[in-house]
Amino acid sequence: MATIYDVARHAEVSVATVSRVLNGSSVDPAMAERVTQAVTALRYRPNLVARNLRTRRTRLWAVIISDVRNPFFTDMVRGIEDVASAEGYSVVLCNSDEDAAKEADYVDVALAERMAGVILSPSSGRTTHINSLVGAGCPVVLVDRELGGVRADAVLTDNEQGAALATRHLVEQGFERIACVTGPQEYSTAAQRLRGYRAALAEAGRDEDGSLVRFADFREPGGHAAMTSLLDSPMRPDAVFVANNLMTIGVLRCLAEHALSVPADVGVVGFDELPWAEFARPTITTVGQPTYDEGRAAAEALARRIGSPDTEPTRTVLSTSLHVRESSLRER
Amino acid sequence: MATIYDVARHAEVSVATVSRVLNGSSVDPAMAERVTQAVTALRYRPNLVARNLRTRRTRLWAVIISDVRNPFFTDMVRGIEDVASAEGYSVVLCNSDEDAAKEADYVDVALAERMAGVILSPSSGRTTHINSLVGAGCPVVLVDRELGGVRADAVLTDNEQGAALATRHLVEQGFERIACVTGPQEYSTAAQRLRGYRAALAEAGRDEDGSLVRFADFREPGGHAAMTSLLDSPMRPDAVFVANNLMTIGVLRCLAEHALSVPADVGVVGFDELPWAEFARPTITTVGQPTYDEGRAAAEALARRIGSPDTEPTRTVLSTSLHVRESSLRER
């Protein structure tokens, strides 16, 4: 099958010129004629470009993630890509870097470049720019984090269930002062994981001690700072549930710097799988999210939304699982 | 200050022709010469934003990386983003997934979507599609991996130096049968890291034993398979230099499965920093690349290339450093 490169060679013009002709941009008429003849002679069927012209949308999906250095998001991207590719779309990733202004910029880009759809993991509680996107008729799926007041499909993890699994396990191991390092208050994931922690403590008949809760930033330095502050408090914890992977690294680093032993001095369970959990000293107990499946589900929701723009938004919630390793096992 | 209209009047050509010359697109040589003289005579400095409007290019840079799950690339992306943002560009990431066909698709996307520039870490030795991109006047910078026969700026790491550092260290520790697990033969990084390994062995007066070299895929399963094959060979290694981070994980997993102790049974040095190197049991000796700086340098090269499309391609090579930890220290 002829490619755009074959057309360019046949017409003796550059690929960019062929592309300009196919997009209807201004090109020297003689050249344009040569390109049209080559397209006919080679029976070239432009896929991406032609479809673009018809629908005036590209064959691109924008995936706006809040932290490209967090393996949770990059694992999810693989699931998205596999579905996108089967549906004939290419995926471009945009890193909002947990910054609402950058996120709004990428939403503008998605609109300006007429992206076929957007999968977004919100970087704040702000909804104005996302509602503009939805209002402009761009298919949108929210992933990982929920946003009230946005009419869009959402694919989420059962954060409360996962946090409760982790906390219940620490209770069962006999830890007594179980702390929680969660994320920024405005993120649904942070709020839900805190709620799961509280529910498990309540279930065990324990009073929650507010001095054992820290709100951090879902990043390594924030986890480190939160653990430092917990160690400095009068009510020093003997265990900690950490609400994401990067903060877990910060907590472990802080404990190592204080020469505290895990789990003898402080037991640790982290939310999110860590690719190296089993190489760590000690191995790390984690709450695993089905990241790849979450990406697939989000992409499938986007494909459905593109196909039927007017149906009611859906909400998909996936379960987590607890992987018990050494960091949370009390020696008795 | 002279405008593009002044240049066109002075050179007696159309504004479109001036624009084509400034973009490095193909133009009749006599016309091009007149434009260049006019630019010099009027001391014309093209305004980048206005130029984009005229050339109908977007304010987007495409960063085509070969594996979005490899932290090497995601760290690099931060360096790119910081420069892009200062220069007024947004960055979209494309994951070629070490697949030349996907890479070619993204190159088509960059052309079709009129991206302002492309930073690319090649996924194979193929150059046709990349040369088309360069030929179409799209500014291109290669990063991490080199490609012969492509006229583009390149930002690279001194792989040979890094591999030699790692291998020399294993020699000095008294390991005798030092293996090398490198990447696919067609990647410059794999070839250069193998060359550094060989150079360090030669420097130590050792004969290289070909049976101790494996070409794998720069991914975890490939590293695992290569180590399995090395353990099955008659000449079992007592140390291994692994040429990237993901393969190092595969090698460590394989050694753990065989109940072999690191470094007592097999010493290990991995190329690329591992964010968890210090939490591992044992801690892992690594060759660190300046990933963030590499991203910055690539983005700076792209910004320069957009500003002066006709200058000679540059080649920037950054140094690596060895971080000695437990996995390579022989108990004597």
Side-chain angles (χ1 to χ4, degrees):
Chain A
M1 213 180 78
T3 67
I4 194 168
Y5 300 105
D6 302 325
V7 173
R9 254 190 307 274
H10 194 278
E12 299 181 33
V13 300
S14 70
V15 170
T17 300
V18 177
S19 167
R20 275 198 291 272
V21 172
L22 296 173
N23 281 309
S25 306
S26 74
V27 168
D28 171 69
M31 275 199 200
E33 176 59 24
R34 288 215 305 277
V35 170
T36 312
Q37 282 173 2
V39 165
T40 313
L42 300 175
R43 282 187 287 186
Y44 171 65
R45 287 168 190 286
N47 36 27
L48 184 142
V49 175
R51 252 184 284 182
N52 230 329
L53 286 174
R54 274 193 302 275
T55 60
R56 311 208 53 201
R57 284 205 183 270
T58 64
R59 293 298 289 174
L60 289 181
W61 285 356
V63 176
I64 307 178
I65 56 180
S66 46
D67 188 355
V68 77
R69 293 206 279 190
N70 185 333
F72 167 77
F73 291 112
T74 47
D75 283 355
M76 197 180 70
V77 164
R78 281 299 300 271
I80 295 174
E81 285 174 339
D82 285 350
V83 173
S85 164
E87 298 275 341
Y89 292 93
S90 293
V91 171
V92 297
L93 300 183
C94 310
N95 178 30
S96 69
D97 206 23
E98 305 283 9
D99 176 334
K102 282 193 192 174
E103 178 180 291
D105 284 348
Y106 280 119
V107 164
D108 285 350
V109 164
L111 270 176
E113 304 299 331
R114 297 169 184 284
M115 301 274 184
V118 172
I119 295 176
L120 182 135
S121 163
S123 272
S124 76
R126 284 199 241 165
T127 57
T128 321
H129 55 295
I130 301 171
N131 277 324
S132 304
L133 197 58
V134 174
C138 179
V140 176
V141 172
L142 301 180
V143 73
D144 183 46
R145 297 175 185 163
E146 243 172 322
L147 271 184
V150 173
R151 272 185 60 80
D153 302 286
V155 174
L156 309 159
T157 297
D158 194 340
N159 293 297
E160 207 166 323
Q161 171 243 1
L165 277 179
T167 312
R168 204 175 291 137
H169 165 69
L170 289 168
V171 167
E172 283 163 7
Q173 285 295 313
F175 291 103
E176 290 179 359
R177 296 178 310 285
I178 304 171
C180 174
V181 176
T182 191
Q185 269 181 288
E186 68 268 31
Y187 293 168
S188 61
T189 45
Q192 289 161 357
R193 291 173 198 171
L194 178 59
R195 214 178 300 144
Y197 157 83
R198 285 178 170 155
L201 288 185
E203 185 188 282
R206 299 204 187 178
D207 290 335
E208 186 212 326
D209 181 337
S211 77
L212 286 176
V213 171
R214 293 291 181 282
F215 293 92
D217 61 358
F218 274 151
R219 294 194 164 182
E220 187 185 324
H224 187 284
M227 194 68 228
T228 307
S229 142
L230 283 166
L231 292 176
D232 287 345
S233 71
M235 172 84 159
R236 217 183 213 206
D238 63 354
V240 59
F241 161 61
V242 193
N244 93 336
N245 49 5
L246 302 184
M247 294 197 304
T248 302
I249 298 179
V251 164
L252 291 173
R253 208 178 291 277
C254 173
L255 293 172
E257 285 165 11
H258 285 76
L260 289 168
S261 162
V262 176
D265 297 319
V266 181
V268 176
V269 180
F271 208 97
D272 294 321
E273 195 48 275
L274 296 162
W276 45 272
E278 65 204 270
F279 296 124
R281 170 182 23 206
T283 57
I284 310 295
T285 299
T286 58
V287 178
Q289 299 193 62
T291 46
Y292 177 84
D293 291 346
E294 209 169 334
R296 280 199 73 95
E300 283 159 4
L302 184 60
R304 280 197 306 273
R305 176 63 43 204
I306 290 169
S308 10
D310 300 322
T311 51
E312 280 296 302
T314 58
R315 188 170 178 277
T316 308
V317 181
L318 304 174
S319 293
T320 63
S321 47
L322 182 71
H323 304 285
V324 176
R325 301 196 185 90
E326 296 162 358
S327 68
S328 60
L329 293 179
R330 195 130 213 202
E331 293 138 34
R332 274 177 288 197
Chain B
M1 215 178 76
T3 68
I4 192 168
Y5 298 101
D6 302 326
V7 174
R9 252 191 311 275
H10 193 279
E12 299 179 46
V13 299
S14 70
V15 169
T17 300
V18 176
S19 166
R20 274 200 290 274
V21 172
L22 295 173
N23 282 306
S25 305
S26 74
V27 169
D28 170 71
M31 278 198 196
E33 176 60 24
R34 289 214 304 278
V35 171
T36 311
Q37 282 173 1
V39 165
T40 312
L42 302 174
R43 282 188 286 187
Y44 170 64
R45 286 172 192 284
N47 171 301
L48 281 186
V49 175
R51 213 170 104 198
N52 271 307
L53 288 175
R54 278 192 294 275
T55 60
R56 314 196 56 194
R57 283 203 188 274
T58 64
R59 293 300 290 174
L60 289 182
W61 286 356
V63 176
I64 307 178
I65 57 179
S66 47
D67 188 356
V68 76
R69 293 206 280 189
N70 186 332
F72 167 76
F73 291 112
T74 46
D75 284 356
M76 197 179 71
V77 164
R78 280 300 300 271
I80 294 174
E81 286 173 341
D82 286 351
V83 173
S85 164
E87 297 276 340
Y89 292 93
S90 293
V91 171
V92 297
L93 300 182
C94 309
N95 178 28
S96 68
D97 205 22
E98 305 284 10
D99 176 332
K102 282 193 191 172
E103 177 181 291
D105 284 349
Y106 279 119
V107 164
D108 284 351
V109 164
L111 267 176
E113 304 300 331
R114 301 166 185 281
M115 301 276 183
V118 172
I119 295 176
L120 182 136
S121 162
S123 270
S124 76
R126 284 200 240 164
T127 57
T128 322
H129 55 294
I130 301 170
N131 276 323
S132 303
L133 195 60
V134 175
C138 180
V140 175
V141 173
L142 300 180
V143 72
D144 183 44
R145 297 175 186 164
E146 241 172 323
L147 271 184
V150 172
R151 272 185 60 81
D153 302 286
V155 174
L156 309 160
T157 297
D158 194 340
N159 293 296
E160 208 167 322
Q161 173 243 0
L165 277 179
T167 311
R168 204 175 290 137
H169 165 68
L170 289 168
V171 167
E172 284 164 6
Q173 286 295 312
F175 291 102
E176 288 177 359
R177 296 178 310 284
I178 303 170
C180 173
V181 175
T182 190
Q185 271 182 284
E186 68 267 31
Y187 293 169
S188 60
T189 44
Q192 288 160 358
R193 290 171 199 172
L194 178 60
R195 215 178 297 145
Y197 157 82
R198 286 179 168 152
L201 288 185
E203 185 188 282
R206 298 206 187 177
D207 289 334
E208 186 211 328
D209 182 336
S211 76
L212 286 176
V213 172
R214 293 291 180 283
F215 293 92
D217 61 358
F218 274 152
R219 294 193 165 182
E220 187 185 323
H224 187 282
M227 194 67 226
T228 307
S229 143
L230 283 166
L231 292 176
D232 287 344
S233 71
M235 172 85 158
R236 219 184 210 205
D238 63 353
V240 58
F241 161 59
V242 193
N244 92 335
N245 48 5
L246 302 184
M247 295 198 303
T248 301
I249 299 179
V251 163
L252 292 173
R253 209 177 290 276
C254 173
L255 293 171
E257 285 165 11
H258 284 78
L260 288 168
S261 161
V262 176
D265 297 318
V266 182
V268 176
V269 180
F271 207 98
D272 292 323
E273 195 49 276
L274 296 161
W276 44 273
E278 66 204 89
F279 297 124
R281 170 182 19 205
T283 57
I284 311 295
T285 300
T286 57
V287 177
Q289 298 193 64
T291 47
Y292 176 84
D293 292 345
E294 210 169 332
R296 278 199 75 95
E300 284 159 4
L302 185 59
R304 280 197 305 273
R305 176 63 42 203
I306 291 170
S308 11
D310 300 322
T311 51
E312 279 296 302
T314 58
R315 189 170 178 277
T316 308
V317 180
L318 304 173
S319 292
T320 64
S321 48
L322 181 71
H323 305 284
V324 176
R325 301 194 186 91
E326 294 162 358
S327 69
S328 61
L329 294 178
R330 196 129 211 205
E331 294 138 32
R332 274 177 289 198

